[in-house]
Amino acid sequence: MTSTQKPSARAATAKRAGTFTESVIREMTRVSNQYGAINLAQGFPDFPMPAPMKDAACAAIHGDINQYAITWGSPALRLAIAEKYRSWYGMTVDPETEITVCCGATEAMASVFLALVDPGDEVIVFEPYYENYGPDAILAGAKPVFVPLEAPDWRMDPDKLRAAFSNKTRAIVVNTPHNPTGRVFTREEISLIAELCQKWDVIAITDEIYEHIRYAGSHHVLATWPGMRERTVTISGLSKTFSCTGWRLGYAIAPAEFSSPIRKVHDFLTVGAPAPLQAAGAVGMAFDADYYNHLALEYRARRDIMCSALDEAGFKYAAPEGAYYILADFSEISDLESREFAIWLAKEVGVATVPGMSFYSRPELGRSVTRFAFCKRVETLEKAAERLARSQTLV
Ligand code: GLN
């Protein structure tokens, strides 16, 4: 500002944007870059995505598929998604009316909140939770109601879940496999959620982005539970399954009466996801079971390396059943608070993580935990393991 300009009397920030902070996950990537650390913070792979999809994207661009796709998704991708849900989960989905392709599961979740949740509504969220759900709720004017998943095994307490439901509850967010704990909800847990949603006339919004990255248990699709199809929005995407987080391709599957407001919100936020990448996405969605088995096996090897590294360095954790994160307790290594510890680890040890505080409504709840993302090459994880092994001598 020059000396002749008067300061504005208006606040720089709209009230709603003032009520949440920037993403700590994305911030930790910047911290990692600043200190030249190995980035086990933000969950994105450092290995290539499948070549046939890369080729298909190049072919689509050269084939002049470079203008807007249909707002709610190119017909080929929606058809491929519908076919995948039919063959994998026995779920019939109408690609014409029930699928909205979005810019990542992230945009799908935000659009669903804005389309289906009113100001003042309560939305149940298991805690710890992927940090986006907080701002999503705030942007919709909703009140998040947290139900704890408690260490060491991150199981839900049925009584606490029952107690969270009321006439004010509009929705519950169900993320399985779960970020950041790695829990895969059991059939019993999913059944209880289904029972309570029906008892209280609540909609379920699922986040199933890690559906194919599992080491134990089965992936239970809540929408396939009796009575749940008509009250469930199933969100997933291509980012994790096809290692293409930068492509920003996700989707929401919901009955037509939910999909039409979701499509409207999505349209006015983004118009649509990138057209040539949608064309290539359809190629990936048609991969056969081998691809998915291979993906899960490779992740199991990465998980095992990460677990050994944490054992050796003195962290305490529950081995993840799915997804590619470990929320590890560092209280035997350091008594720093989670944010200070994560910065120290990035700077002095050279391994970036996401401080536990970013997954809790109150930072003190995540005081002594930090999240490791192990969606990395074996070499990257082995290098991180070497650095972590030295960390105890640095405290
Ligand atoms: N879901 C990933 C994580 O938790 C990536 C988040 C993001 O940056 N969109 O790290």
Side-chain angles (χ1 to χ4, degrees):
M1 192 188 302
T2 64
S3 55
T4 53
Q5 282 177 312
K6 284 197 192 133
S8 167
R10 289 174 187 269
T13 310
K15 287 193 193 71
R16 82 176 69 76
T19 51
F20 53 90
T21 55
E22 68 161 305
S23 158
V24 181
I25 297 177
R26 266 75 84 195
E27 182 194 353
M28 286 310 295
T29 283
R30 296 195 295 276
V31 169
S32 181
N33 293 344
Q34 182 187 345
Y35 296 124
I38 297 171
N39 188 354
L40 305 187
Q42 192 177 8
F44 62 86
D46 70 346
F47 46 85
M49 69 175 300
M53 293 176 74
K54 294 197 276 193
D55 292 342
C58 295
I61 289 170
H62 287 295
D64 292 322
I65 303 182
N66 296 308
Q67 310 309 325
Y68 302 123
I70 291 173
T71 289
W72 44 85
S74 73
L77 180 54
R78 280 182 287 119
L79 261 180
I81 294 169
E83 173 51 25
K84 163 130 192 248
Y85 278 76
R86 189 198 61 74
S87 62
W88 275 81
Y89 302 125
M91 182 170 153
T92 308
V93 177
D94 181 352
E96 287 307 316
T97 58
E98 296 191 311
I99 299 175
T100 309
V101 174
C102 293
C103 297
T106 293
E107 192 239 321
M109 184 62 77
S111 294
V112 168
F113 263 85
L114 292 172
L116 303 182
V117 176
D118 268 322
D121 284 349
E122 291 188 357
V123 177
I124 297 172
V125 176
F126 293 101
E127 182 175 42
Y129 56 92
Y130 175 48
E131 60 176 16
N132 280 39
Y133 307 151
D136 286 342
I138 291 169
L139 288 171
K143 178 172 175 262
V145 172
F146 297 104
V147 173
L149 298 176
E150 268 153 331
D153 59 5
W154 310 114
R155 306 237 145 218
M156 68 179 80
D157 175 337
D159 292 332
K160 287 188 181 154
L161 181 60
R162 279 190 198 97
F165 279 77
S166 76
N167 289 329
K168 293 194 202 123
T169 314
R170 167 63 171 160
I172 178 168
V173 176
V174 183
N175 168 219
T176 181
H178 186 256
N179 177 8
T181 66
R183 269 305 314 287
V184 170
F185 291 158
T186 60
R187 174 172 290 281
E188 290 68 37
E189 287 170 320
I190 293 290
S191 298
L192 177 62
I193 293 169
E195 178 196 316
L196 292 168
C197 285
Q198 289 172 71
K199 175 172 175 196
W200 292 98
D201 192 16
V202 161
I203 59 174
I205 308 171
T206 71
D207 176 349
E208 306 183 29
I209 191 85
Y210 303 99
E211 63 195 294
H212 292 291
I213 301 174
R214 278 181 293 101
Y215 321 103
S218 301
H219 181 62
H220 298 302
V221 178
L222 184 52
T224 62
W225 250 243
M228 288 308 290
R229 180 70 168 84
E230 58 269 36
R231 58 173 70 250
T232 301
V233 183
T234 303
I235 295 178
S236 192
L238 284 70
S239 298
K240 317 295 182 182
T241 301
F242 302 111
S243 311
C244 56
T245 61
W247 278 24
R248 311 310 304 126
L249 288 180
Y251 51 84
I253 300 175
E257 60 168 338
F258 291 157
S259 288
S260 56
I262 295 167
R263 287 174 169 193
K264 277 195 291 185
V265 172
H266 157 71
D267 185 7
F268 287 109
L269 286 177
T270 68
V271 179
L277 305 185
Q278 291 193 50
V283 171
M285 292 299 293
F287 285 168
D288 61 19
D290 273 2
Y291 173 79
Y292 297 92
N293 293 337
H294 195 67
L295 179 83
L297 276 175
E298 288 192 328
Y299 268 109
R300 181 180 292 277
R302 296 180 187 113
R303 178 192 75 152
D304 293 348
I305 297 172
M306 193 76 244
C307 288
S308 313
L310 296 185
D311 289 340
E312 206 178 316
F315 289 87
K316 296 280 170 274
Y317 60 90
E321 299 161 336
Y324 49 51
Y325 306 104
I326 299 180
L327 192 60
D329 184 305
F330 57 79
S331 51
E332 285 178 22
I333 301 172
S334 161
D335 51 21
L336 290 174
E337 160 289 322
S338 72
R339 192 184 173 88
E340 290 167 0
F341 179 79
I343 304 240
W344 172 81
L345 200 69
K347 191 172 171 196
E348 304 298 337
V349 179
V351 176
T353 57
V354 178
M357 43 82 72
S358 98
F359 304 103
Y360 287 91
S361 52
R362 288 183 290 126
E364 63 272 22
L365 295 173
R367 192 187 185 287
S368 299
V369 289
T370 203
R371 190 195 75 173
F372 290 83
F374 56 86
C375 43
K376 305 292 168 184
R377 293 170 207 257
V378 166
E379 307 88 90
T380 310
L381 296 172
E382 283 172 346
K383 209 159 124 201
E386 278 169 30
R387 293 186 181 187
L388 288 169
R390 292 199 303 266
S391 64
Q392 279 160 315
T393 60
L394 293 169
V395 185

